[in-house]
Amino acid sequence: MADLKDFAEQLVNLTVKEVNELADILKEEYGIEPAAAAVAVAGPAGGAGGDAAEEKTEFDVILKAAGGSKLAVVKLVKELTGLGLKEAKGIVDSAPAPVKEGVSKDEAEGLKKSLEEAGAEVELK
């Protein structure tokens, strides 16, 4: 049991760089994609508010596909979200994936317009 506590403490104290390296190892060596699991978990939570569709005030900006200009889309996702380059690339590579969740209608439409101008396919939920 003490080994598990030590392991848990090591996981909690990982830096962002170490977490990214761990994600790469899990993906390349074991075929486990941590980002896909996060998207799968986040997906149903966004759809739970279907009853209030008329009065919806919060929107999710979903990147459906990067389009022909993937590098421009990665840079734009990085800029819009404040994420690092690797995290932004992970979002673009795992499309369809949420770029931002729970934003106002105006912000969501602005993000959608910017991403579409960069060549991406985007939807609002």
Side-chain angles (χ1 to χ4, degrees):
M1 191 66 148
D3 291 335
L4 288 177
K5 284 188 177 188
D6 291 340
F7 180 66
E9 188 171 324
Q10 288 175 343
L11 284 175
V12 170
N13 292 321
L14 290 177
T15 64
V16 172
K17 182 179 179 185
E18 292 169 331
V19 169
N20 287 328
E21 289 174 10
L22 177 61
D24 288 341
I25 292 168
L26 289 173
K27 181 178 179 182
E28 292 169 9
E29 294 184 20
Y30 299 100
I32 300 170
E33 265 190 75
V39 170
V41 170
D51 296 342
E54 291 182 84
E55 301 176 66
K56 190 167 186 172
T57 58
E58 292 186 347
F59 293 85
D60 296 341
V61 180
I62 309 295
L63 177 69
K64 292 175 66 176
S69 185
K70 183 177 174 182
L71 182 57
V73 173
V74 170
K75 288 181 179 180
L76 186 58
V77 167
K78 177 184 180 290
E79 181 182 316
L80 294 173
T81 61
L83 295 173
L85 185 61
K86 190 167 189 170
E87 291 86 359
K89 183 180 182 298
I91 288 173
V92 174
D93 287 343
S94 64
V99 175
K100 276 198 168 183
E101 296 177 311
V103 297
S104 70
K105 183 176 182 177
D106 291 339
E107 183 180 357
E109 288 175 352
L111 292 169
K112 181 180 179 184
K113 182 179 178 189
S114 297
L115 288 164
E116 286 176 342
E117 287 174 357
E121 290 181 39
V122 183
E123 74 174 335
L124 301 179
K125 289 190 175 185

